[in-house]
Amino acid sequence: MGKIRARSGSVRRRFGWVDHFVLLLLATLAAAALWPPRGWVGPVLSTAAGIAVGLQFFISGLRLPPSAALQGAKAWRPHLVIVAFSFAAFPLLGLGVAAGSSWFLSRELVAGLLFLTMLPTAVQTATTFTGIAGGNTALAVCAASISNLLGVVATPLLAALVLGSFGGLHADAVFKIALQIIAPFVAGQLLHKPLARWTVRRAKTLKVVDRSAILLVVYGAFGAAVAGGLWQQIPPAQLAVTAGICAALLALVLSATSLTARRLGFERADATAVLFCGSQKSLASGLPLSAILFQGPLAGVVILPVIMYHAMQLIVCAAIARRLDRRAKQALAKAPLGAFA
């Protein structure tokens, strides 16, 4: 029995980075591919997804402290680097990818890659991996919060500027953004302080509601794309190339954030936070936003690069975080005793 428990514990330690939510996402995609919504189910799901999006951004507003920007003013240089990567360098890379791949990829997949590059930092994964790697967790929490606060406005604005001419946005997107994103988010921010304790006590319940909303958006959007003839429009070779581009983007931005932090002379803890916060993209913000910004079969294809990148960043960044943690512990063990006097 002891051996079984030890083996079980070893498996959990080895594969503990696997996010069960990724498995749920893959299962949802499979369900939408096999049993896409048809007939009256589609409009009902669309309405439910709209309500879920508003609820998801209200929860985001409740969670994010409005004082994050003020708290981050003390360490403005790392924050500036992270914001620059999230909303400037990354979208510029997206434009380069779009220019280089549009001859082979469908317009929908190119739009999805562009949309991916405009998303804010993933709060939970960026802060978790920073903590595992022994980085500045407080800086990561603050930076991810600032990125998501800015992303409520910056991501739709970038999408409107770039994808508006791309033909991917519908006319009432601005109204839906105000109604389903900004208004619920502002309401959550206003209620953040009076409901702070309640939010902490109901953290698990809110997480379930938050992720359920995302899964509903995924099923509705991807199912609509399948019902609209996705497999006839998007060959497997294009999906493989899209996955390869997502992997290349992740590798490039991880290298660029690491190099930038070193060149600017950041301390190891701050450089670690820049590495993860500057390279992560938020699935929790991206999928609800896509449901508002895009319509019809386009929405189901646009989310594919976001899901691909999310899965890759979990796997790769988990490995990097553990490697950085081992290096830090080895350096600590080799340091002379006098260094701690």
Side-chain angles (χ1 to χ4, degrees):
M1 182 65 70
K3 291 183 179 180
I4 293 176
R5 288 180 179 175
R7 189 175 301 170
S8 175
S10 175
V11 171
R12 282 196 299 270
R13 286 191 298 272
R14 186 171 299 176
F15 299 101
W17 52 265
V18 177
D19 191 340
H20 295 161
F21 186 55
V22 173
L23 301 179
L24 287 175
L25 273 174
L26 295 177
T28 303
L29 288 172
L34 295 173
W35 304 287
R38 300 183 185 277
W40 60 270
V41 179
V44 171
L45 272 179
S46 179
T47 301
I51 296 172
V53 166
L55 182 59
Q56 195 268 340
F57 275 93
F58 174 73
I59 293 173
S60 296
L62 277 180
R63 287 174 173 167
L64 293 176
S67 59
L70 295 176
Q71 293 172 355
K74 298 178 182 178
W76 63 270
R77 291 174 69 234
H79 289 298
L80 185 61
V81 172
I82 292 168
V83 169
F85 268 100
S86 296
F87 299 116
F90 230 130
L92 286 175
L93 281 174
L95 289 172
V97 167
S101 63
S102 58
W103 66 273
F104 181 74
L105 296 182
S106 69
R107 291 176 62 83
E108 294 84 0
L109 284 175
V110 174
L113 288 167
L114 278 168
F115 178 64
L116 163 68
T117 63
M118 301 170 189
L119 296 177
T121 298
V123 177
Q124 183 177 356
T125 55
T127 55
T128 299
F129 291 141
T130 300
I132 292 173
N136 189 339
T137 306
L139 172 62
V141 171
C142 188
S145 299
I146 292 173
S147 179
N148 277 261
L149 287 168
L150 292 175
V152 172
V153 175
T155 298
L157 179 61
L158 285 169
L161 290 173
V162 177
L163 295 176
S165 60
F166 196 80
L169 300 182
H170 47 286
D172 61 344
V174 175
F175 175 74
K176 285 191 173 182
I177 288 169
L179 181 65
Q180 294 181 253
I181 296 179
I182 298 178
F185 186 84
V186 170
Q189 287 282 279
L190 294 175
L191 293 173
H192 173 81
K193 189 173 182 179
L195 293 181
R197 293 183 179 179
W198 180 87
T199 303
V200 172
R201 289 197 302 267
R202 299 290 186 273
K204 290 184 178 180
T205 302
L206 291 175
K207 185 176 181 180
V208 170
V209 173
D210 187 31
R211 293 192 164 190
S212 298
I214 293 173
L215 293 176
L216 180 61
V217 170
V218 170
Y219 178 77
F222 190 67
V226 172
L230 171 66
W231 304 125
Q232 288 74 36
Q233 301 172 18
I234 310 295
Q238 292 195 20
L239 294 176
V241 170
T242 302
I245 291 174
C246 288
L249 279 173
L250 179 59
L252 181 59
V253 177
L254 282 169
S255 301
T257 50
S258 178
L259 179 61
T260 301
R262 288 200 304 270
R263 289 290 178 87
L264 292 176
F266 291 162
E267 295 181 358
R268 178 193 174 278
D270 291 353
T272 302
V274 170
L275 171 69
F276 291 116
C277 292
S279 61
Q280 300 268 305
K281 287 297 182 180
S282 176
L283 181 81
S285 296
L287 296 187
L289 274 170
S290 69
I292 296 174
L293 296 174
F294 307 98
Q295 64 179 354
L298 174 65
V301 181
V302 165
I303 65 175
L304 291 178
V306 180
I307 294 174
M308 289 177 182
Y309 190 90
H310 177 76
M312 291 176 187
Q313 74 183 13
L314 284 176
I315 296 170
V316 174
C317 291
I320 292 174
R322 296 198 172 198
R323 184 177 180 182
L324 291 175
D325 180 47
R326 285 195 300 270
R327 284 184 179 178
K329 289 178 179 177
Q330 290 171 359
L332 188 64
K334 293 179 180 178
L337 293 176
F340 306 102

